[in-house]
Amino acid sequence: MHKPIRKAILPVAGLGTRFLPATKTVPKEMLTVVDRPILQHVVDEAMAAGVEHFVFVTGRNKAVIEDHFDIAYELEDTLRKRGKTAELKMLLDYLPEPGNCSFTRQQAPLGLGHAIWCARELVGNEPFAVLLPDMVTLPGASKTQCLAQCVETYREHGGNVIAVEEVTPEETHQYGVVAVGRDFGRDFEITGMVEKPAKGTAPSNLIISGRYILQPEIFPLLEKVEKGAGGEIQLTDGMKALSDTQSFYGVRFDGRT
Ligand code: UTP
């Protein structure tokens, strides 16, 4: 039996420079997709995979994220007085259980690897999920969401799991790319990882796509990782170091981003 995945880290401390000016005052993760902030979709995906505790790694100017997962007293009171029970119920249904959200700050945006490391004390010594809340995944025919598919692979194989997505070989240099070992069809053993490989050198066309299950032994390794691509502490470099002693599996998830 592998330890259950109870906690998820949601790193939301990035600057969102690619989406300026939209992200000047609104965090990128709070931009709306269909009817709710991207971050709400991601929390829903994690809940569907059995996650009970959410660790948000935030930064300055991100306080609205905390407010989104809290009661909105005046708003709820007004809705109640006006008899808007459906709207009130919807708000209350989305409220996490008290104590199920933790917030910590990454004081400077030093990279995704550093953001994950900032959550080490809140996660402790157990395997955890990471969801990058700047992308939404849509389930495919199986109707199972991406992180839940990663959890299925984790239950079968244990170790560490990364969701991967296929891109054209011309696009691989923009992403983290994995090398494929023993292949089981939907999932496979990962034998190598490289962040933003030079054109023509990628080991496959399968890119790391924002949903992970990781073992806590990654934390001390992230502390030692040197700044990599883009002058940032890269999660991929920490995972590469961990892969010297632990197994990694890739999941070609059924669905799209
Ligand atoms: P990105 O690199 O896509 O986010 O990181 P970013 O830094 O906001 O992007 P741009 O290039 O400036 O537009 C993926 C996720 O990791 C978080 C981001 O908030 C995003 O959700 N992140 C990234 C951190 O929390 N801290 C960091 O130092 C970097």
Side-chain angles (χ1 to χ4, degrees):
M1 257 303 268
H2 306 294
K3 279 190 183 172
I5 306 300
R6 301 185 314 121
K7 297 184 181 177
I9 303 178
L10 296 97
V12 288
L15 298 177
T17 45
R18 277 168 294 177
F19 297 96
L20 284 169
T23 50
K24 187 176 170 190
T25 55
V26 179
K28 173 170 78 168
E29 302 79 8
M30 293 304 283
L31 298 177
T32 308
V33 171
V34 189
D35 61 348
R36 66 197 72 181
I38 299 182
L39 191 55
Q40 180 78 62
H41 287 283
V42 176
V43 165
D44 293 346
E45 178 185 339
M47 277 181 178
V51 169
E52 296 162 5
H53 192 109
F54 301 88
V55 179
F56 296 89
V57 181
T58 72
R60 284 184 292 286
N61 304 324
K62 302 267 183 169
V64 290
I65 293 178
E66 282 185 54
D67 293 343
H68 184 76
F69 294 99
D70 198 353
I71 59 165
Y73 182 78
E74 284 182 17
L75 175 61
E76 289 165 22
D77 190 51
T78 307
L79 291 175
R80 209 169 277 120
K81 283 182 179 145
R82 292 187 183 172
K84 298 213 177 254
T85 41
E87 289 82 355
L88 182 63
K89 183 176 180 315
M90 186 251 294
L91 280 189
L92 297 179
D93 282 351
Y94 275 115
L95 212 53
E97 287 281 303
N100 279 6
C101 291
S102 300
F103 298 87
T104 187
R105 277 200 180 189
Q106 183 190 25
Q107 286 113 334
L110 299 180
L112 177 59
H114 181 259
I116 301 305
W117 179 74
C118 288
R120 67 198 179 285
E121 295 292 343
L122 293 167
V123 170
N125 190 27
E126 59 180 283
F128 58 95
V130 173
L131 298 100
L132 300 197
D134 56 352
M135 58 174 255
V136 174
T137 63
L138 296 173
S142 69
K143 300 269 186 272
T144 310
Q145 293 211 310
C146 182
L147 188 68
Q149 294 179 44
C150 295
V151 169
E152 276 172 27
T153 290
Y154 168 76
R155 285 203 185 115
E156 199 179 329
H157 299 286
N160 302 268
V161 179
I162 303 175
V164 301
E165 205 181 333
E166 209 171 303
V167 296
T168 65
E170 293 71 42
E171 293 171 297
T172 49
H173 67 282
Q174 307 168 51
Y175 302 99
V177 183
V178 299
V180 181
R182 266 196 311 161
D183 202 333
F184 312 111
R186 193 181 68 96
D187 47 24
F188 59 89
E189 231 168 42
I190 291 177
T191 51
M193 290 169 233
V194 51
E195 189 60 42
K196 301 191 175 62
K199 279 188 182 170
T201 65
S204 75
N205 63 343
L206 295 174
I207 62 159
I208 297 176
S209 97
R211 303 291 183 263
Y212 315 73
I213 289 171
L214 297 171
Q215 297 293 329
E217 288 78 18
I218 189 107
F219 292 126
L221 297 172
L222 285 172
E223 196 168 348
K224 287 189 219 132
V225 162
E226 302 281 324
K227 285 182 181 165
E232 296 195 332
I233 295 173
Q234 296 286 346
L235 180 60
T236 307
D237 291 335
M239 295 194 298
K240 254 166 51 184
L242 185 59
S243 70
D244 289 342
T245 53
Q246 293 194 12
S247 306
F248 274 76
Y249 300 92
V251 180
R252 298 177 182 93
F253 69 94
D254 165 42
R256 60 195 167 85
T257 54

